[in-house]
Amino acid sequence: MSSDRFELELSRRELLVAGACALGAAVFWPRGVRAAGESAWLEAAAKSPLVYVSPLQKNGGESRCHGEVWFFIDGGDIVLASATKTWKVRAIQTGRDRARVWVGDFGPYAKAAEKLASAPSFVARATIDKDRAVFDRLLAAYAVKYADEWGKWKPRFESSYADGSRLVIRYAAAP
């Protein structure tokens, strides 16, 4: 090795391990860079069976439609499936793609409103995710997370997704 040039020698094994680590980080790293305050809702979501979602109105205020729903975390986003007739889907389809998401299990919304005020939450950008692989990951996650009830619900999710009456919604923290 000369003094004006740096040479690095890697074995084939070291090169393969380094490449695999880089690929793994690229695939499994959450989308985008997360702000420090987002760790609270993301940590809570890892432990919670439910999230509450409210589409935001054009003026930024919450809609009167709130609901607790099953979800899973995919790439740092909250992902759920919803019937096409629901306000969650209709809001996105009419251009209202921002929502507030609260994390926790506080029971039906009508009894949970006060508790939501102190729950971890974030403003999200909502999109319809048409990738079948995401739906398959949702099915697998729900089978574990909601095992006691999933036998009853899985056929309904599969058939309604197949006929187009259920869609997958992705809630990504808004910048």
Side-chain angles (χ1 to χ4, degrees):
M1 177 162 82
S2 67
S3 60
D4 63 338
R5 185 174 101 161
F6 176 77
E7 292 183 21
L8 178 65
E9 291 187 30
L10 292 176
S11 69
R12 182 172 185 259
R13 178 181 175 88
E14 291 168 325
L15 182 62
L16 290 173
V17 168
C21 289
L23 178 61
V27 169
F28 293 109
W29 194 261
R31 282 184 211 189
V33 176
R34 302 286 181 202
E38 293 182 44
S39 63
W41 71 259
L42 202 48
E43 288 175 22
K47 301 172 191 168
S48 178
L50 299 173
V51 292
Y52 296 74
V53 178
S54 176
L56 297 181
Q57 298 173 347
K58 290 180 183 180
N59 67 5
E62 294 167 20
S63 72
R64 292 183 300 154
C65 300
H66 295 75
E68 64 278 1
V69 292
W70 289 357
F71 74 100
F72 86 111
I73 301 169
D74 188 55
D77 299 334
I78 298 292
V79 177
L80 55 94
S82 187
T84 55
K85 296 178 185 177
T86 65
W87 46 266
K88 292 183 290 301
V89 171
R90 289 193 324 247
I92 297 166
Q93 291 172 334
T94 60
R96 291 183 308 188
D97 63 347
R98 292 173 45 88
R100 176 162 302 280
V101 178
W102 295 268
V103 180
D105 183 359
F106 307 109
Y109 175 77
K111 297 178 181 180
E114 290 181 21
K115 295 175 185 173
L116 291 179
S118 61
S121 68
F122 66 100
V123 173
R125 177 86 48 207
T127 56
I128 303 297
D129 193 325
K130 296 180 180 181
D131 184 351
R132 174 64 199 219
V134 173
F135 181 69
D136 290 339
R137 290 195 301 273
L138 178 142
L139 294 177
Y142 282 17
V144 173
K145 193 170 186 176
Y146 309 108
D148 292 344
E149 300 177 63
W150 191 235
K152 170 183 163 183
W153 288 99
K154 182 182 180 192
R156 296 177 192 184
F157 273 65
E158 290 177 320
S159 65
S160 58
Y161 184 82
D163 71 19
S165 63
R166 183 174 305 273
L167 298 174
V168 174
I169 305 173
R170 178 177 296 275
Y171 293 96

